[in-house]
Amino acid sequence: MYKVDVPVDQSIGEAVERRRSAATARKARIFDTRLRVMGLDLDALNQQVQEKKHQQTVERQRDTALDKLAQYYDDLLLQQDIDERERRAALHTDLTQFWATQQRVEDSSDADLKCGLKGAFGITNPGGELGPASMQIFEGEGSSEPQTWKTKETERDLRMQKEDNLRRCMRNQHREMLESRELVHRDLREVQQAALEEECKKAACIALDNYNQALAAERAEKLKEQHRREERDNLTEMVHILTSDMMTECADTAKREAGGGKPSRMLTDRWKGMSPKQLRAIHMEREQQCLEKQKQRAAERIEDAAWDLQLLKLSTEAEEKETRAAELRRRRRIQMDEYNMQLAREQQTHQEYLNKKLYTNKPTNDYFHQFNASSR
């Protein structure tokens, strides 16, 4: 026979391994103490998931807002750069136009050197004062008429520009003079107004000082008058007290007739004390009250002795009852102890029967280890 290498089918082994892994995972899940005792809080887990999603959303929104802000600042800086370039270009254009209109070569002081005169020097002196040696252009030497007119026109333009500059300077000086005069007038008015305000403040302070002095004098006069009036009232009160019935200790002043046959009333604010007759009556009344009090105390002592005797009898009877009750409880306790000892002997006999005769086959550890061995 030939030996043929037949491929081994691994599906059965893989299925067995899958079932074994599933059983191991199930056992670990079932016998997990935390899951078996506490369980899973699905609401808390869902809440944590929602909070995590919300936090991620907030972070994405914040990143988006920061990106937009950065883009905005970039655009702003770019626009500022563009505006600066445009401003510089416009300034250069205006400067070029100013050079072309206000600072022309033809209007300069050396225009005769730059406008085709080839270095000729302009003569400003009149021709009648110069001799033949000062002649620059002779008859028949090609000095064209248009060039002469152009030179004259240039001189006229320069003269007009100088006159315009002079008039502009004069106008500026006149305007500055008017502004200076207006500032001087304004400063003068402010100085005068400040002086008037200072005078008004001084007058108001003087008036206020005079008013305060008048008020102080009036107040001092009122205080003096009040002091004199208080002194007069105190002196009058002292004289009245010294000459009144209270200081002379007149006993009749404490009595007031009621009228209609009624006894006279006693004025408490003017009472000077009791008479000897009233004092004797009070002493007699007090002695009588002392005797009555002694009699009352003797009667109370007799009553207390009777109550003590009665309490002694009651306490003796209570002690006898307590003694009989204690003896009865002692007998009952002895009977209960005997009964408990009999029950203990019976229990011991029954326990020996169970341990020595009834339960003779005790389970080993293998009996307990067979439980919870698998997930089924």
Side-chain angles (χ1 to χ4, degrees), residues 305-315:
W307 277 108
D308 293 339
L309 181 60
Q310 183 67 22
L311 290 175
L312 182 59
K313 292 179 179 180
L314 293 176
S315 61

Side-chain angles (χ1 to χ4, degrees), residues 82-264:
I82 294 172
D83 294 341
E84 182 67 19
R85 291 181 181 178
E86 291 179 355
R87 187 181 65 81
R88 290 184 179 181
L91 182 61
H92 182 69
T93 303
D94 295 340
L95 186 60
T96 305
Q97 186 177 2
F98 177 77
W99 288 342
T101 57
Q102 301 297 330
Q103 295 182 356
R104 297 183 304 171
V105 179
E106 294 83 358
D107 299 337
S108 63
S109 60
D110 55 351
D112 53 352
L113 300 177
K114 298 179 181 180
C115 294
L117 297 181
K118 305 298 182 180
F121 183 77
I123 298 175
T124 58
N125 294 327
E129 298 179 359
L130 300 176
S134 300
M135 296 179 62
Q136 294 180 356
I137 301 174
F138 295 93
E139 184 179 1
E141 288 186 358
S143 177
S144 61
E145 189 69 19
Q147 187 69 27
T148 303
W149 284 104
K150 187 175 182 180
T151 303
K152 292 181 178 180
E153 185 178 359
T154 302
E155 293 178 355
R156 185 172 60 254
D157 292 338
L158 290 173
R159 187 169 53 256
M160 291 177 64
Q161 289 180 5
K162 291 180 179 179
E163 291 176 356
D164 290 338
N165 292 331
L166 181 61
R167 285 193 297 271
R168 190 180 302 108
C169 291
M170 292 178 66
R171 285 196 300 270
N172 293 333
Q173 292 177 359
H174 182 68
R175 184 172 62 255
E176 291 177 357
M177 182 184 65
L178 292 177
E179 291 178 355
S180 301
R181 186 179 299 174
E182 181 66 23
L183 291 175
V184 170
H185 287 304
R186 186 182 303 171
D187 295 338
L188 182 61
R189 285 196 300 271
E190 290 179 355
V191 171
Q192 292 176 355
Q193 187 176 1
L196 291 175
E197 290 179 356
E198 189 67 24
E199 291 294 333
C200 292
K201 289 181 180 179
K202 289 182 179 179
C205 290
I206 294 172
L208 183 61
D209 292 338
N210 295 332
Y211 179 71
N212 291 333
Q213 291 177 2
L215 287 178
E218 184 179 359
R219 183 176 181 82
E221 187 65 26
K222 287 182 179 180
L223 291 175
K224 290 180 180 179
E225 182 64 25
Q226 183 179 0
H227 184 65
R228 288 194 295 269
R229 185 170 58 253
E230 289 178 355
E231 287 183 352
R232 288 196 301 269
D233 294 341
N234 293 333
L235 182 60
T236 303
E237 186 176 359
M238 290 172 62
V239 171
H240 177 70
I241 291 174
L242 291 174
T243 58
S244 63
D245 294 335
M246 180 181 67
M247 297 300 294
T248 56
E249 295 184 357
C250 181
D252 296 335
T253 58
K255 295 181 181 180
R256 175 178 293 180
E257 298 295 335
K262 296 180 180 179
S264 59

